[in-house]
Amino acid sequence: LAFFLRDPEEDIWVRRHIPGTLAQIPSQKTMDVLVSALDERDGFIRYKVVSALERLRREHPEFSLKEQPVETLAIQEARRYFNFLSLHDNLFGKEKLKADSLLSQGLLEQMTRLRNRIFKLLTLVHSPADIDAARWTLEHGDSRARSSASEYLDNILSSALRKQVLPVLEEMPREERVRRGNVLLKTRPRDVEETLLQLINDDDPVTAAAAIDVVREQKMWSLADDVEDVLAHRDVK
């Protein structure tokens, strides 16, 4: 199972089902195999790996795992979150484009999934019950309770996670979150055309297709050659 999970020649949907199968075989070796797969390029496999690790962590706290790969992935996911947030703000902030488009919905859903995944990753290196309680408080508590939950996370997270992950989790105005994200990514606000050019080349085919549809809707024919290039080189599957 470990071999086929990492085999790029294996059918992708077979590989995506393997982490859930491994979770049915609780052992230290299973934990080690799953942790080693946290750097998988396919986002769906990474999600399945994290979910399998979370299940094992909750059901078998006696198993240990290396924290560094978990923290590295959490930071990567936080940076992906801020990238999507910045792109969304470039397109739909200040009512530049209609916010009810499929592309807007897709970017927001990507951000929600990334935030959920970060919480899952934190349960791997800290008490799952404590992380669950902090998350519930951040999402449902009053302002004083949310402040306490943020302070708790600030105290337990490593310096790297505090800097790059905590801004994804704690409450703050959207404008401030966008600003902090741009600072972390060392990027800047970009115009609609430049943003769409990045999105039509996104690895996620749904995001790319939705961006291409916005190009069509806005009649941005200056991007026609770029769209043709994407269609010519994209995996037809």
Side-chain angles (χ1 to χ4, degrees):
L1 286 171
F3 173 80
F4 286 114
L5 174 61
R6 306 308 303 273
D7 181 9
E9 300 301 318
E10 182 55 73
D11 182 275
I12 191 65
W13 281 102
V14 171
R15 297 175 65 206
R16 287 169 174 172
H17 282 291
I18 290 175
T21 304
L22 284 168
Q24 307 276 350
I25 313 171
S27 69
Q28 183 61 54
K29 187 172 182 178
T30 296
M31 291 286 278
D32 297 341
V33 166
L34 290 170
V35 169
S36 71
L38 284 172
D39 61 353
E40 271 294 332
R41 181 175 180 181
D42 181 74
F44 201 171
I45 291 179
R46 288 199 308 273
Y47 169 74
K48 290 291 189 178
V49 167
V50 172
S51 296
L53 282 168
E54 182 191 22
R55 175 176 173 178
L56 288 173
R57 177 82 168 93
R58 291 178 183 276
E59 296 179 357
H60 298 277
E62 69 274 16
F63 299 149
S64 63
L65 56 77
K66 296 178 181 178
E67 294 187 3
Q68 187 57 50
V70 176
E71 293 199 357
T72 298
L73 180 56
I75 290 171
Q76 291 172 354
E77 300 294 48
R79 295 180 68 84
R80 290 188 184 98
Y81 174 95
F82 281 122
N83 181 53
F84 285 126
L85 176 63
S86 180
L87 295 172
H88 188 277
D89 192 67
N90 291 341
L91 295 176
F92 305 104
K94 300 178 181 178
E95 301 181 350
K96 296 175 185 176
L97 297 177
K98 293 181 180 179
D100 61 351
S101 73
L102 281 175
L103 181 57
S104 174
Q105 179 182 336
L107 292 174
L108 292 174
E109 288 179 354
Q110 291 266 30
M111 290 157 58
T112 298
R113 286 196 292 270
L114 288 166
R115 188 171 184 272
N116 289 340
R117 201 173 302 172
I118 288 170
F119 274 116
K120 285 178 176 287
L121 288 166
L122 293 184
T123 66
L124 302 182
V125 293
H126 298 287
S127 164
D130 290 345
I131 296 298
D132 290 345
R135 179 177 186 176
W136 190 95
T137 303
L138 287 170
E139 295 176 351
H140 304 286
D142 57 30
S143 59
R144 184 174 182 179
R146 291 196 300 271
S147 178
S148 296
S150 294
E151 184 179 358
Y152 165 74
L153 291 174
D154 185 69
N155 288 332
I156 67 168
L157 298 182
S158 66
S159 59
L161 293 181
R162 280 199 303 273
K163 179 180 179 182
Q164 304 206 49
V165 172
L166 191 56
V168 175
L169 309 179
E170 62 185 358
E171 183 185 28
M172 68 178 69
R174 177 186 169 91
E175 296 78 12
E176 174 63 14
R177 202 187 306 274
V178 171
R179 187 194 68 78
R180 292 181 67 173
N182 285 337
V183 170
L184 286 171
L185 297 178
K186 298 181 179 179
T187 186
R188 55 177 173 77
R190 302 176 188 275
D191 62 26
V192 170
E193 183 172 319
E194 190 175 359
T195 302
L196 286 172
L197 177 59
Q198 180 174 338
L199 285 168
I200 65 176
N201 288 282
D202 194 86
D203 288 339
D204 177 52
V206 176
T207 300
I212 290 172
D213 193 51
V214 171
V215 172
R216 173 200 60 80
E217 185 181 66
Q218 298 296 317
K219 297 182 172 58
M220 301 183 71
W221 307 132
S222 59
L223 293 175
D225 290 343
D226 297 289
V227 172
E228 290 287 350
D229 185 68
V230 169
L231 296 177
H233 296 95
R234 197 92 196 191
D235 184 347
V236 295
K237 295 181 182 180

